[in-house]
Amino acid sequence: AGPVENKNEAAMSELVPESRQKPVVPMKPLGINASLLGYIGIDTIIEQMRKKTMKTGFDFNIMVVGQSGLGKSTLVNTLFKSQVSRKSSGWNREEKIPKTVEIKAIGHVIEEGGVKMKLTVIDTPGFGDQINNENCWEPIEKYINEQYEKFLKEEVNIARKKRIPDTRVHCCLYFISPTGHSLRPLDLEFMKHLSKVVNIIPVIAKADTMTLEEKTEFKQRVRKELEVNGIEFYPQKEFDEDLEDKTENDKIRQESMPFAVVGSDKEYQVNGKRVLGRKTPWGIIEVENLTHCEFALLRDFVIRTHLQDLKEVTHNIHYETYRAKRLNDNGGLPPMTVETEENNESNL
């Protein structure tokens, strides 16, 4: 019986699992002091990105909305120091005010310091110029959503383009009439509907028609009315990414908005310097002089500090909201139209 018992014991010992060693938990990576090991070159990524952007250029689409006669075209020309508006591109002075809101987009390529920008100015002639302006914001909202739809259709193609043409509206300058009283129901209605789909920057047009006291009071009144009506303008509070952004944007929201501006594409000689300005019987209003108007603040805000952020908020917030709603409503994909089918076939 001895050898049989020994066999059983040997078989049982084979079934008992061996005690495994615990897996070694990897240590947290230590911060390596690059100066000890010499220069690596991680910081060159910024220069690489800059070179790539300079080669491809970038798109920026700005929409101007407001009644005729508020200097929208002039202001856009002043912003980009070029003849970029609808009026400067072969507009006829005999042209009548359209009976309904029209959308006119004009594209230009502006180059500065080797950087190319494909600028599109979208004008909305006919807005607010009728006796009955009910729902005159609808064609504008429709146009903005159509651009999101165009981008979405390109994005869901099986063989999509490496670089999708971007016609989405990145910024909407809304021109407020310098009445000195309060916002019109049309202003509130427009901003209430459109602030959900586009970055709205309110500006008080032709600010030189008000005294400094009137201008300050009007700015405060407009800010109060926007707050009471729950209208969010750009930069929206909830999209501030960190404390530095919040501090900077709070200052803009509480002091600068809405920008009281004067536009002019005419040059005058002032103290031996050539300046952009408007000539009055009392002297020259210098467009870029902060004691005269806030044009320089608006230009710095739109172009020099927040242009990239305007594009990012358009893509990450407004477009994403539209995209999620469309895909959700439609079970995952935009409806397949004949045009989309043809595009897919041509891409394949």
Side-chain angles (χ1 to χ4, degrees):
V4 175
E5 277 174 18
N6 289 345
K7 274 184 185 174
N8 286 344
E9 277 174 20
M12 284 178 75
S13 67
E14 280 173 20
L15 294 170
V16 176
E18 289 178 26
S19 59
R20 288 184 186 173
Q21 287 185 335
K22 286 184 180 177
V24 180
V25 178
M27 286 175 66
K28 285 184 181 175
L30 297 168
I32 299 168
N33 187 346
S35 61
L36 292 175
L37 304 171
Y39 177 67
I40 302 167
I42 298 164
D43 57 354
T44 61
I45 191 164
I46 303 296
E47 184 57 23
Q48 292 169 42
M49 287 160 74
R50 193 183 75 86
K51 278 183 179 173
K52 205 153 196 176
T53 308
M54 282 178 78
K55 276 181 192 171
T56 55
F58 62 96
D59 303 297
F60 186 61
N61 308 317
I62 186 167
M63 178 182 260
V64 287
V65 181
Q67 278 179 294
S68 58
L70 290 179
K72 301 187 295 293
S73 303
T74 307
L75 186 83
V76 174
N77 287 345
T78 319
L79 266 179
F80 296 100
K81 296 197 172 174
S82 310
Q83 298 291 310
V84 292
S85 73
R86 168 181 66 99
K87 290 193 179 180
S88 53
S89 305
W91 178 73
N92 179 9
R93 289 210 167 269
E94 302 299 311
E95 198 177 290
K96 288 178 184 169
I97 291 168
K99 290 193 175 151
T100 55
V101 179
E102 293 176 9
I103 311 284
K104 295 193 175 182
I106 293 171
H108 303 267
V109 174
I110 296 177
E111 194 169 339
E112 187 179 60
V115 179
K116 279 183 190 169
M117 177 168 84
K118 187 177 179 249
L119 172 73
T120 304
V121 178
I122 304 124
D123 198 357
T124 54
F127 177 85
D129 292 334
Q130 312 305 320
I131 293 166
N132 179 9
N133 288 303
E134 197 181 356
N135 297 346
C136 68
W137 44 266
E138 282 180 352
I140 296 168
E141 186 176 32
K142 184 171 174 270
Y143 176 85
I144 291 167
N145 285 330
E146 276 170 1
Q147 307 320 304
Y148 291 148
E149 183 68 22
K150 234 187 239 182
F151 198 89
L152 178 61
K153 278 182 179 171
E154 286 287 355
E155 214 176 37
V156 297
N157 273 345
I158 295 162
R160 60 185 179 185
K161 293 171 184 167
K162 190 179 173 185
R163 193 163 179 254
I164 299 171
D166 192 0
T167 58
R168 297 169 299 180
V169 180
H170 300 124
C171 169
C172 171
L173 293 181
Y174 186 77
F175 286 69
I176 297 163
S177 190
T179 59
H181 299 296
S182 58
L183 291 171
R184 299 168 305 159
L186 174 63
D187 300 330
L188 293 168
E189 202 65 26
F190 176 88
M191 288 191 264
K192 206 175 276 183
H193 283 91
L194 273 290
S195 61
K196 295 179 180 75
V197 296
V198 71
N199 296 317
I200 289 182
I201 298 175
V203 295
I204 297 167
K206 299 198 167 178
D208 51 327
T209 59
M210 294 188 282
T211 65
L212 293 175
E213 292 77 18
E214 283 171 344
K215 186 168 74 179
T216 307
E217 279 175 29
F218 189 43
K219 275 166 72 85
Q220 287 170 350
R221 200 173 293 136
V222 168
R223 276 199 295 271
K224 188 76 186 156
E225 283 188 55
L226 292 173
E227 193 184 322
V228 167
N229 287 278
I231 294 165
E232 282 275 323
F233 50 81
Y234 179 84
Q236 299 91 330
K237 285 176 193 170
E238 65 264 40
F239 307 149
D240 292 342
E241 288 186 359
D242 54 39
L243 193 62
E244 192 187 343
D245 282 0
K246 189 183 182 306
T247 310
E248 189 186 335
N249 290 341
D250 274 346
K251 196 176 177 206
I252 291 162
R253 285 187 283 259
Q254 290 158 17
E255 295 172 21
S256 306
M257 290 282 184
F259 294 96
V261 296
V262 178
S264 172
D265 39 19
K266 289 192 173 71
E267 282 192 348
Y268 294 96
Q269 195 88 16
V270 176
N271 301 328
K273 273 186 182 173
R274 301 289 293 169
V275 297
L276 286 169
R278 281 172 57 105
K279 197 171 185 180
T280 71
W282 305 277
I284 289 165
I285 295 153
E286 294 171 45
V287 166
E288 297 185 56
N289 186 333
L290 280 174
T291 56
H292 292 195
C293 82
E294 293 165 355
F295 169 80
L297 289 178
L298 173 68
R299 183 209 46 219
D300 289 358
F301 176 62
V302 172
I303 300 169
R304 299 183 185 180
T305 62
H306 284 68
L307 190 144
Q308 182 57 28
D309 190 60
L310 280 161
K311 286 167 68 71
E312 282 174 15
V313 171
T314 300
H315 182 74
N316 299 331
I317 310 293
H318 298 305
Y319 170 66
E320 276 302 311
T321 306
Y322 178 86
R323 180 180 168 278
K325 188 179 181 300
R326 281 288 285 111
L327 297 183
N328 201 31
D329 290 352
N330 222 38
L333 283 171
M336 191 66 109
T337 59
V338 176
E339 185 191 338
T340 320
E341 282 172 12
E342 283 170 4
N343 283 349
N344 282 348
E345 281 167 22
S346 64
N347 283 334
L348 290 167

